[in-house]
Amino acid sequence: MKTSIFAALLLALAPLSLVAQAPAGQDSKAQDGMAVEHAKAPVPPSKSVSITFEGRITTLSLEDLINLPQVTVNVHNAHTNKDETYTGPLVSDVLAKAGLVSSRETQPLILHSSVVATGTDHYYVLYSAAEVEPAFSTGKVIVAVMKFGLPDNDGGLIQLVNTTDTKAARWVHGLTSLNVMSLSQTVTK
């Protein structure tokens, strides 16, 4: 019993000891009142993305994503303080493969839906469906499969990147799923 408690405590404290042992300048730095950790371990790579929409799951492999129309975006990554170039399909094109196609008829559905993007490390973020749809937004949200023209090994092969946010907090490394959730409006008389 004592061994299992000790092992659990050791596992829980291991990340803290790694940060404490990191060379100066690579540990957590306070930035805008928030801690930013630069020595974060890479996330497990994702080789496919599962899209859940209206009770159906559609899975697109890395090859499927590469075969969709590609968009290149130039963004500033506030975490690394560097300008970066990513290439991949628009999230709207990925969602269309699962059945959420933008049209005049689907406009209310898009306006009343959200998209939860989750990575292999279980980090998740929320977007409105309108925010990822070019008909409603001037920003671009892509499923990046290339970084600087090469496979995106730093981002877990597949990642979600957007051009609108000031910080990369809603980027998802190792993107593994997109879950579309719709709100139904209750009409009262």
Side-chain angles (χ1 to χ4, degrees):
M1 179 77 167
K2 284 185 179 181
T3 305
S4 63
I5 293 172
F6 178 72
L9 183 60
L10 185 62
L11 286 173
L13 295 176
L16 295 175
S17 66
L18 291 175
V19 170
Q21 295 172 13
Q26 289 186 351
D27 58 351
S28 297
K29 292 183 178 179
Q31 187 177 49
D32 293 35
M34 297 175 60
V36 178
E37 190 163 311
H38 294 283
K40 184 178 177 184
V43 300
S46 174
K47 299 200 177 18
S48 64
V49 175
S50 296
I51 304 102
T52 304
F53 174 61
E54 293 185 336
R56 295 183 312 275
I57 298 174
T58 304
T59 301
L60 299 178
S61 68
L62 184 58
E63 185 178 339
D64 294 332
L65 294 168
I66 290 170
N67 288 327
L68 288 172
Q70 302 291 295
V71 173
T72 299
V73 297
N74 298 304
V75 293
H76 181 77
N77 185 339
H79 292 307
T80 62
N81 198 27
K82 294 181 182 173
D83 292 333
E84 299 172 344
T85 302
Y86 292 91
T87 302
L90 290 169
V91 170
S92 59
D93 290 340
V94 172
L95 296 178
K97 285 293 198 181
L100 183 57
V101 178
S102 180
S103 70
R104 184 178 197 112
E105 292 76 31
T106 60
Q107 204 171 33
L109 176 63
I110 291 169
L111 291 171
H112 298 114
S113 296
S114 61
V115 179
V116 177
T118 306
T120 55
D121 60 353
H122 305 288
Y123 181 76
Y124 64 94
V125 297
L126 179 69
Y127 285 85
S128 71
E131 189 175 13
V132 302
E133 183 57 54
F136 294 99
S137 176
T138 57
K140 290 187 172 76
V141 184
I142 69 167
V143 177
V145 293
M146 304 288 264
K147 181 178 180 180
F148 296 119
L150 300 171
D152 188 9
N153 293 321
D154 293 336
L157 294 182
I158 303 170
Q159 72 173 308
L160 193 72
V161 175
N162 77 60
T163 62
T164 57
D165 293 350
T166 309
K167 295 186 179 186
R170 290 197 307 159
W171 293 11
V172 178
H173 302 284
L175 180 67
T176 189
S177 70
L178 296 169
N179 185 3
V180 180
M181 297 183 294
S182 299
L183 301 173
S184 61
Q185 186 176 15
T186 305
V187 179
T188 57
K189 294 183 180 185

